[in-house]
Amino acid sequence: MTGLVIIGGSDAGISAALRAREVDPSSGVTAVIADAFPNYSICGLPFYLSGEVPDWHALAHRSQAEIEEQGITLRLDTRAIGIDPERRTVRVVDRHGTEDDLAYDRLVIGTGAEPIRPPITGINLPGVYALHTMEDSFAVHDAITERSPRRAIIVGGGYIGLEMADALTTRGLGVTLIELLPTVMSTADAEIGEVLRVELERHGVHVTTGATVARIEQEAEGLVVYGEPEVRVAADLVLVVVGVRAVTELARAAGVETGERGAIRVTRTMETNVPDIYAAGDCVETWHRILERPTYLPLGTTAHKQGRVAGENAVGGHCIFQGSLGTQVVKVFDLAVAGTGLRDRTADGFTPLTVETVVPDHKAYYPGAHDLRIRVTGDRITGRLLGAQIVGYWKAEVAKRIDTYATALYNGMRVAEINDLDLSYTPPLGSPWDAVQVAAEAWVRARGAVADTASEPVGRW
Amino acid sequence: MTGLVIIGGSDAGISAALRAREVDPSSGVTAVIADAFPNYSICGLPFYLSGEVPDWHALAHRSQAEIEEQGITLRLDTRAIGIDPERRTVRVVDRHGTEDDLAYDRLVIGTGAEPIRPPITGINLPGVYALHTMEDSFAVHDAITERSPRRAIIVGGGYIGLEMADALTTRGLGVTLIELLPTVMSTADAEIGEVLRVELERHGVHVTTGATVARIEQEAEGLVVYGEPEVRVAADLVLVVVGVRAVTELARAAGVETGERGAIRVTRTMETNVPDIYAAGDCVETWHRILERPTYLPLGTTAHKQGRVAGENAVGGHCIFQGSLGTQVVKVFDLAVAGTGLRDRTADGFTPLTVETVVPDHKAYYPGAHDLRIRVTGDRITGRLLGAQIVGYWKAEVAKRIDTYATALYNGMRVAEINDLDLSYTPPLGSPWDAVQVAAEAWVRARGAVADTASEPVGRW
């Protein structure tokens, strides 16, 4: 029997707890959770705020009772304030201020990430919010429902900023989105960012890119955001969502080393440098399957997988995290934008070539066809698939098409081999060569080596 | 320069022609096509007949002009009536009855398949139709639009029968579907067939399974179909769609050998036993990637791939057909049914285990979630993924989810490895563990070896 303590009750922590109990039902598992909301879907917050999910309780992946039924002890509203690796104890404090030591055989740290707070004067003013925890979400929800704001400013055009632009527009607010970089969604190519800009503007969002925000002031007309060049926008509500950073203070104080982007350094078995301390989720660096090195990719999907590996290994398993491809999808109004793997700008160590193809999602003769814009990135030298990006109508199977590329990437396929895949076809839902294959073929042609085809009996790369 | 003659103008023939010209622009390519409809999407016929595709011209993958622009000579309304492998000529006859010999260096046979005509008395009566060629389609279209039939009987519950039940119901006809086997869609498991039966009946289709049709008679009340047990149904229109068989007479007369289900025997380079004669598409046997032996799987997707391989090799290439998984999807009313790979009944040489999981297509808290029924088949001994079937709402990304399994199958993955895939997630379009992973995990649990996980560092099988 292993005594396992887990710090954190979001995706990584609860996944670790559940997996540990599944693999070793004799293990004792206690999760220390800073708030009262174990296993909530943080990714669902924008949809609660948009009104599409009326009851926030629905955002729980599992209820507290469901987790406890698995034999997991939950210490809610309890913060971990210190780890003693020598004595193998975690110092915790509950909401009454009472301190206590929890003994562990193995510890899993899943302290997650917190919003980056950029150096903006006035960022602490009432009416300026971050969006990461359930509490943040309640605060924004109260502001929307009780104070009937008409105008919102979103600082940050990443995927949460984009989802919130959609959500607040859906709520009836006039939205201005301010992004530092030249295009929104900087995790995708600029061409995709421009498609998103058009979609945002089509729905009435004012989009300002290439702009820095310097200060926020409370003036007669509301909160006024000032920035460069020539930014002056007034609103009733400001959201600052410019990314997150790993929460590592507790770990570092216990001698745990950090690495990429300040996240906790872990092995692919999710072990830290300190014996018997594992870590997983948004607080750790993530092995990238194509780059074959650690990166910082805080994503819910990855947190679930890493938590599972940590939980299994913490009770004696021998699991290896198979790595992330950074696969993502986001819905913005009527579009879905998805990506997996590398782009020209991120393909360090490769010789990337990216080719864009516009192709209908299904046979154009069947009603309701929508063009997909697909960007395939491959290595010019070896022909290996490195990544793909798709933007198109959100119901045009964009998300699961990126999954075909993600599965190909996982297996180290060459771009040309995509055309050998036996994919499904019926005119309402595809083409004899699916859109993902048409785009792969366009890449092969652009590479300029017709003879180097998928079916050629050569080694992979 | 290679002189290439292609017999057949459907998917395989035109793919071969286009690929030959692409790989060797100096090659002379002539396609001999029995009708006036090169490169038509046979799979689109049900949607023309349903009225969803108003103009049949739209069914062409490419126009005649687009094909000819690629330097391909089309001999339309011209039938090949003999092949002389010694002299390397093809005897053809045009619509005026004029015969001619075409010389070839290499020949590609793409004569396709034709509907099986079961031994039903009265199958030749007016009002009884097959559905395979454009001409068939025009005949049925004329019957529907000019004679205003009210009742239709469809003999055969395979995918064309199912699509036509949908199409004719959409046209306002009352439809009776008669299937020999205990469930419709016998290429899927019976559990899926039962889901389809409910969907058909929900839309007013009368479904009779386990019934043989013995004769059709023209009586006062219309065409009456008689069968066992106790089948007597009257209608204005009867469609007999019980499958297809390879058209091989021309090839056999030239000494070309046949194999699986009477289809032309080919190598994986799409060569027949006769020198310089290639064959591809619905007239040939198809290498199955998992079974590693020839099967008969006449599908448009496969015909395109085989045609491409044949065309490339016929002008000097060295392409290998990578095999079929039998991946299919069909839309029936509001459902899509998709499958790839093997099932318990088809997994010869394996020790199959099939596990069914019902799981929502995306986070249930986001509106519009639909349950998917996913059946995963894997090998009990090795853990290897053998196949998958999905049925669910047709817009719930059923088709592209089967493609994830198909891509995993192509790469020989184990079921447990599916959980290591980095798939996309956003609450409106998925879950942190996608439905395909939840189903894979259920299989792993059912196999009863929790320790044998995806992440375990073991060989593949």
Side-chain angles (χ1 to χ4, degrees), chain A residues 46-265:
Chain A
F47 308 103
Y48 165 53
L49 295 174
S50 72
E52 290 162 284
V53 179
D55 180 1
W56 61 266
H57 293 91
L59 295 179
H61 288 306
R62 287 170 200 80
S63 70
Q64 184 177 334
E66 284 169 325
I67 299 166
E68 288 172 340
E69 269 166 27
Q70 299 304 314
I72 295 161
T73 302
L74 297 178
R75 296 281 297 255
L76 301 181
D77 289 316
T78 301
R79 284 183 305 112
I81 55 173
I83 299 166
D84 185 336
E86 298 299 318
R87 292 178 50 229
R88 296 183 193 232
T89 56
V90 178
R91 187 86 176 156
V92 300
V93 56
D94 70 13
R95 62 184 153 178
H96 308 296
T98 310
E99 295 195 11
D100 189 10
D101 279 333
L102 298 180
Y104 68 79
D105 295 314
R106 299 282 167 82
L107 178 68
V108 176
I109 299 176
T111 42
E114 65 186 5
I116 291 171
R117 294 177 66 78
I120 297 172
T121 308
I123 196 170
N124 293 320
L125 281 171
V128 181
Y129 303 94
L131 188 67
H132 195 68
T133 64
M134 291 304 292
E135 295 291 358
D136 293 339
S137 186
F138 295 146
V140 176
H141 190 265
D142 288 351
I144 294 170
T145 52
E146 289 167 18
R147 273 174 270 154
S148 305
R150 291 178 303 105
R151 305 158 300 170
I153 294 168
I154 298 170
V155 180
Y159 66 97
I160 295 173
L162 293 168
E163 287 178 336
M164 285 307 302
D166 178 333
L168 296 179
T169 300
T170 300
R171 277 279 186 185
L173 279 77
V175 175
T176 298
L177 183 73
I178 303 175
E179 163 64 39
L180 177 69
L181 295 169
T183 53
V184 297
M185 186 88 180
S186 62
T187 50
D189 284 349
E191 291 81 352
I192 303 237
E194 285 306 313
V195 173
L196 279 171
R197 178 202 295 269
V198 170
E199 181 70 359
L200 289 161
E201 291 177 343
R202 195 168 76 81
H203 287 85
V205 177
H206 293 269
V207 180
T208 301
T209 54
T212 53
V213 170
R215 68 182 200 278
I216 306 170
E217 296 192 5
Q218 180 67 59
E219 301 185 11
E221 58 187 308
L223 290 161
V224 181
V225 172
Y226 291 92
E228 295 297 334
E230 291 181 27
V231 172
R232 185 188 183 283
V233 194
D236 309 305
L237 181 75
V238 178
L239 277 184
V240 180
V241 283
V242 298
V244 298
R245 63 170 199 89
V247 174
T248 61
E249 288 76 3
L250 188 69
R252 283 188 283 124
V256 172
E257 289 174 3
T258 57
E260 191 69 24
R261 295 264 301 276
I264 295 171
R265 177 167 288 155

Side-chain angles (χ1 to χ4, degrees), chain A residues 11 15 19 22-23 41-45 47 50 52-54 58-62 163 289 299-302 304-305 308-309 312 318-331 336 338-340 361 363 365-367 394-404 406-408 410-413 417-434 437 441 444-445 450-451 453-457 460, chain B residues 11 15 19 22-23 41-45 47 50 52-54 58-62 163 289 299-302 304-305 308-309 312 318-331 336 338-340 361 363 365-367 394-404 406-408 410-413 417-434 437 441 444-445 450-451 453-457 460:
Chain A
D11 295 344
S15 290
R19 186 60 174 169
E22 184 180 2
V23 172
S41 172
I42 300 299
C43 303
L45 297 183
F47 308 103
S50 72
E52 290 162 284
V53 179
L59 295 179
H61 288 306
R62 287 170 200 80
E163 287 178 336
R289 192 170 174 88
L299 290 165
T301 42
T302 304
H304 276 88
K305 290 185 182 72
R308 183 179 155 101
V309 171
E312 180 161 341
H318 302 284
C319 227
I320 292 177
F321 174 61
Q322 293 298 322
S324 170
L325 303 166
T327 310
Q328 285 188 52
V329 61
V330 58
K331 175 187 173 296
T340 187
D361 69 310
K363 287 304 295 183
Y365 61 70
Y366 189 85
W394 74 290
K395 292 191 173 177
E397 306 206 86
V398 169
K400 302 311 147 196
R401 278 192 166 99
I402 215 69
D403 288 354
T404 299
T407 307
Y410 182 96
N411 288 287
M413 292 179 79
E417 282 181 289
I418 304 278
N419 276 319
D420 288 333
L421 292 174
D422 185 14
L423 304 179
S424 61
Y425 163 53
T426 182
L429 293 166
S431 299
W433 299 102
D434 188 71
Q437 296 178 309
E441 181 66 7
V444 171
R445 291 201 171 116
V450 166
T453 67
S455 314
E456 213 183 358
R460 278 202 171 162
Chain B
D11 295 344
S15 289
R19 186 59 175 169
E22 184 181 2
V23 172
S41 172
I42 299 301
C43 302
L45 297 182
F47 308 102
S50 72
E52 291 163 284
V53 180
L59 295 179
H61 288 306
R62 288 169 198 80
E163 286 177 336
R289 193 170 174 90
L299 291 165
T301 43
T302 303
H304 275 89
K305 290 186 182 72
R308 184 180 154 103
V309 171
E312 180 161 339
H318 302 283
C319 227
I320 292 178
F321 174 61
Q322 293 297 323
S324 171
L325 304 166
T327 310
Q328 285 188 54
V329 60
V330 59
K331 174 187 174 296
T340 187
D361 70 311
K363 287 303 296 181
Y365 62 69
Y366 189 85
W394 74 289
K395 291 191 174 177
E397 306 207 87
V398 168
K400 301 311 147 195
R401 279 191 165 101
I402 215 68
D403 289 354
T404 299
T407 306
Y410 182 96
N411 288 286
M413 292 179 79
E417 283 181 289
I418 304 278
N419 275 321
D420 288 333
L421 292 174
D422 185 14
L423 304 179
S424 61
Y425 163 54
T426 183
L429 293 166
S431 299
W433 299 102
D434 189 71
Q437 295 178 311
E441 181 67 8
V444 171
R445 290 202 173 115
V450 166
T453 67
S455 312
E456 214 184 357
R460 279 203 170 161

Side-chain angles (χ1 to χ4, degrees), chain B residues 45-106:
Chain B
L45 297 182
F47 308 102
Y48 165 55
L49 295 174
S50 72
E52 291 163 284
V53 180
D55 180 1
W56 60 266
H57 293 91
L59 295 179
H61 288 306
R62 288 169 198 80
S63 70
Q64 183 177 336
E66 284 169 327
I67 299 165
E68 289 172 339
E69 269 165 27
Q70 300 304 315
I72 296 160
T73 301
L74 298 178
R75 296 279 298 254
L76 302 180
D77 289 316
T78 300
R79 285 184 303 114
I81 55 172
I83 299 166
D84 185 335
E86 298 297 319
R87 292 177 51 229
R88 296 184 194 233
T89 56
V90 178
R91 188 85 175 158
V92 299
V93 55
D94 70 13
R95 62 184 152 178
H96 308 296
T98 310
E99 296 195 9
D100 189 10
D101 278 333
L102 298 180
Y104 68 80
D105 296 313
R106 299 280 166 83

